[in-house]
Every structure is written in C-alpha cells, then in structure tokens.
C-alpha cells in the first residue's frame, strides 16, 4: 500500500447505512461486478457510475451502520474506492472493511471542510491534505497495515502461511 496517495472526493452525510451502500434487493443471485452498479442507489442512483478507481468517500458520523452484511465493504472495493474517510464508523463495518482490504480513516474535521470533487491527499500515519489545509490522522498499527496491504484478512493469512 502506498504511503501517500491522492483521489477525488465523493461527499456523503451522516448515518450512511449498509442498505444505502448496497440495497438488500441486489444481494441475491448477482455477482459483485453487477452488484456494484446499484451502490448508493437509494441516496444517489448516479453515484456508482461516477466513482472512478482511486476515488475516496468522505462521510459524516456512523458510516456503515445497519446490518452486518459484508457486501457493503466488498462493493466499495469493487468500485475502486481507495479509502473512506469519516467522522466515525460502525464497528461491524470497520471489521468488514479491514477483512476486505478497504482502508478506513477516522477524522472529525475533513467532512466539514472539503467539497465534493476536491482532490485529497492522504499521507498514511501523518495527515490528510485538502485545499492547502492539513488534518491529522491516527497511526495505522503495523499488523493492520499488513492486512490492508495484502488485500484483506484472508489474503493476508494465506500469504503469511505460504498458501497460494
């Protein structure tokens, strides 16, 4: 995982639940590639088609609340979302994101400062930069960084245990 990267911001509100990230009706009998077309449909039907690989989501409080469905994190990875920066995350979503190799960063200020379309630079274990302003971020523990760098928990365990 790169220690520094930049991406375009897609800004979302507080309390984005897993039913908004991927609605229940799109979970059965379709693959992830088709499923990703329906991401955020209840809130912003056009958004899934606009997100480009490397883009970032900046959200308010409680991102990923609701059910424990792992597809919510999986669909963000499939869309190419580089990371989600939010004021806070639902704990089960946080675990699902890590398990799927999706970087989450908690920051209480960026959401109120940035605008959709802004270019944000993340310098891991240092700061976030947006329009000339810097925002501090927490350090990522080395073992968590390794899991994210490997693409998620299962991939990391396979790598650690020498399984292809």
């Amino acid at each position: 995982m790169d220690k520094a990267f930049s991406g375009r911001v897609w800004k979302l509100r507080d309390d984005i639940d897993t039913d908004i990230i991927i609605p229940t009706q799109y979970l059965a009998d379709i693959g992830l590639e088709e499923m990703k077309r329906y991401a955020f449909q209840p809130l912003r039907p056009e958004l899934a088609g606009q997100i480009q690989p490397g883009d970032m989501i900046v959200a308010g409080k409680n991102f990923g609340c609701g059910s424990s469905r792992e597809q919510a994190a999986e669909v963000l990875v499939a869309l190419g979302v580089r990371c989600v920066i939010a004021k806070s995350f639902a704990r089960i979503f946080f675990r699902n994101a890590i398990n799927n190799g999706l970087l989450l960063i908690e920051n209480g200020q960026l959401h109120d400062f940035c605008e959709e379309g802004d270019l944000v630079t993340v310098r891991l274990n240092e700061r976030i930069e947006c329009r000339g302003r810097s925002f501090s971020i927490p350090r990522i523990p080395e073992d968590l960084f390794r899991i994210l760098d490997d693409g998620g928990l299962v991939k990391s365990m396979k790598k650690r245990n020498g399984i292809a």
Side-chain angles (χ1 to χ4, degrees):
M1 177 178 291
D2 296 331
K3 296 282 186 175
F5 53 88
S6 298
R8 177 178 51 168
V9 166
W10 295 100
K11 193 170 173 182
L12 300 174
R13 60 174 170 75
D14 291 345
D15 300 314
I16 298 296
D17 68 32
T18 54
D19 287 326
I20 289 173
I21 297 169
I22 185 64
T24 306
Q25 65 265 32
Y26 302 114
L27 298 178
D29 301 324
I30 64 173
L32 195 54
E33 282 303 306
E34 186 176 346
M35 189 186 306
K36 72 183 186 182
R37 297 183 347 193
Y38 302 106
F40 302 106
Q41 189 179 43
L43 183 66
R44 294 177 59 184
E46 76 290 348
L47 185 56
Q50 294 174 329
I51 293 174
Q52 298 296 311
D55 287 353
M56 299 181 214
I57 293 174
V58 174
K61 298 179 292 189
N62 205 25
F63 187 88
C65 58
S67 76
S68 61
R69 75 175 60 122
E70 196 160 346
Q71 293 97 330
E74 289 175 328
V75 77
L76 295 176
V77 171
L79 284 168
V81 172
R82 183 66 172 94
C83 76
V84 180
I85 304 166
K87 290 182 178 183
S88 65
F89 295 94
R91 291 297 130 205
I92 191 68
F93 179 80
F94 192 92
R95 294 186 95 164
N96 286 337
I98 299 306
N99 289 346
N100 284 282
L102 178 61
L103 175 63
L104 303 181
I105 299 173
E106 286 191 353
N107 178 277
Q109 300 171 314
L110 182 66
H111 181 266
D112 297 334
F113 177 78
C114 77
E115 299 295 330
E116 188 158 286
D118 281 350
L119 184 67
V120 167
T121 299
V122 174
R123 298 187 190 287
L124 290 177
N125 294 334
E126 293 180 27
R127 65 189 176 278
I128 300 168
E129 300 165 352
C130 179
R131 291 190 281 129
R133 186 163 167 201
S134 291
F135 302 88
S136 62
I137 56 175
R139 292 189 59 78
I140 299 172
E142 194 58 39
D143 56 341
L144 182 58
F145 184 80
R146 190 176 317 109
I147 290 169
L148 291 167
D149 197 36
D150 290 342
L153 183 60
V154 171
K155 291 177 183 176
S156 185
M157 298 302 345
K158 285 182 177 181
K159 182 177 176 182
R160 184 180 297 185
N161 291 304
I163 302 170

